[in-house]
């Protein structure tokens, strides 16, 4: 079973990282569907945003690697509150992390 990759970060970082990954892996038309970008605007309601992301996590039906940008900031707090027992939250997201996760997405 493959793993889901979620990027929860301040707007527009999550989408930018997803777009870069799609550029690098443009030969694989599955890339866009393997990453969920969750941009958190500065004025976002944390509970509402968490509920939206929770529904997306649940819909994937797979364990998730959840990347966030800054420990203790709203996106990180949302990620920590949503992580299940099979999920992992990693802070300090950068493009090499996302690309490595994509390389190994089908591994346990």
């Amino acid at each position: 079973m493959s793993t889901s990759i979620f990027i929860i970060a301040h707007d527009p970082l999550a989408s930018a990282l997803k777009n870069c990954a799609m550029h690098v892996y443009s030969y694989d038309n599955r890339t866009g569907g393997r990453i969920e970008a969750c941009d958190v605007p500065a004025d976002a309601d944390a509970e509402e945003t968490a509920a939206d992301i929770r529904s997306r996590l649940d819909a994937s039906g797979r364990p998730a690697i959840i990347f966030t940008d800054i420990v203790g900031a709203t996106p990180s707090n949302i990620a920590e509150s949503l992580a299940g027992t099979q999920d992992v939250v990693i802070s300090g997201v950068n493009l090499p992390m996302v690309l490595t996760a994509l390389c190994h997405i089908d591994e346990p």
Side-chain angles (χ1 to χ4, degrees), residues 11-95:
D11 184 35
L13 182 59
S15 292
L17 289 170
K18 178 179 178 174
N19 289 336
C20 287
M22 290 174 61
H23 172 77
V24 171
Y25 290 106
S26 61
Y27 62 86
D28 187 345
N29 61 2
R30 301 171 299 167
T31 302
R34 292 176 169 223
I35 303 174
E36 289 282 339
C38 309
D39 289 311
V40 180
D43 60 350
D45 178 286
E47 290 179 17
E48 187 176 300
T49 302
D52 174 55
I53 297 170
R54 165 55 58 207
S55 67
R56 292 162 71 180
L57 274 167
D58 291 344
S60 79
R62 298 185 301 255
I65 298 172
I66 305 170
F67 291 111
T68 70
D69 48 3
I70 301 171
V71 175
T74 301
S76 176
N77 293 338
I78 290 171
E80 290 290 340
S81 73
L82 296 177
T85 57
Q86 294 187 11
D87 304 324
V88 62
V89 176
I90 302 172
S91 297
V93 66
N94 58 55
L95 185 57

